[in-house]
Amino acid sequence: MQALHPHTGGVEKRRFDASWEAMAEAQIWLSDRCAALGLPDGPGNSLQVCFEELATNILRHGNVPGGGTAAHGPLWIEVSIGTDNRQAILTVQDNAAGFDLPHELAHSADRASGSAQVGGLGLTLIRKLADRVEHVQSVTGNCTTLHFEIGT
């Protein structure tokens, strides 16, 4: 497995406990950061929707199978946001159980069309809203980086 490589440099970052209450706080923080960066409504809204989908998946599925917390202590979610050239970059890192995002993204289209089990629509939404999706899974958790074009 690879080591985690979150986007760094000129990025605002904050770690939150993995709870529904903390995710509400994270959404407010992220909204404030989007405004401070002057992101246009389209990419800013897309970025926030994608964060909500990722955070929901972490909260629902991030615990170690069989109960308990993440493999490395209490579950947390770290959110980073910044801009690079003509794009906004959102990185969501956690210490949750491993998640095979590329596999799930490949199968989310089947779920969206109704040809597979219910679920996975959030990943379909992420794939449609983000211009690029990168995911690294390691023994210490997951790191997903989403890129959103913001124009000139």
Side-chain angles (χ1 to χ4, degrees):
M1 295 202 160
Q2 300 176 351
L4 298 180
H5 299 288
H7 178 75
T8 58
V11 172
E12 292 194 53
K13 184 185 298 187
R14 186 162 168 201
R15 184 175 287 189
F16 298 89
D17 293 333
S19 69
W20 295 109
E21 296 80 18
M23 288 308 96
E25 182 183 342
Q27 289 170 328
I28 293 167
W29 178 83
L30 190 58
S31 178
D32 290 345
R33 300 292 65 78
C34 287
L37 289 169
L39 293 182
D41 287 343
N45 291 337
S46 293
L47 185 148
Q48 291 177 67
V49 167
C50 288
F51 168 73
E52 290 172 18
E53 294 298 334
L54 288 171
T56 297
N57 284 345
I58 294 165
L59 290 172
R60 287 188 179 159
H61 308 293
N63 286 325
V64 175
T69 60
H72 303 282
L75 191 59
W76 50 260
I77 300 172
E78 187 172 271
V79 184
S80 304
I81 183 173
T83 57
D84 182 17
N85 297 324
R86 290 182 283 229
Q87 60 183 339
I89 302 168
L90 171 70
T91 299
V92 179
Q93 187 171 345
D94 63 59
N95 65 333
F99 179 69
D100 188 354
L101 184 64
H103 172 79
E104 292 298 326
L105 284 171
H107 292 86
S108 65
D110 291 338
R111 290 186 197 107
S113 69
S115 62
Q117 68 186 31
V118 175
L121 295 177
L123 295 177
T124 299
L125 187 61
I126 289 169
R127 187 175 55 206
K128 289 185 181 293
L129 293 175
D131 293 298
R132 190 167 91 215
V133 178
E134 301 168 348
H135 181 77
V136 177
Q137 178 185 348
S138 81
V139 295
T140 60
N142 303 280
C143 182
T144 303
T145 301
L146 306 176
H147 300 258
F148 302 86
E149 298 299 322
I150 55 177
T152 57

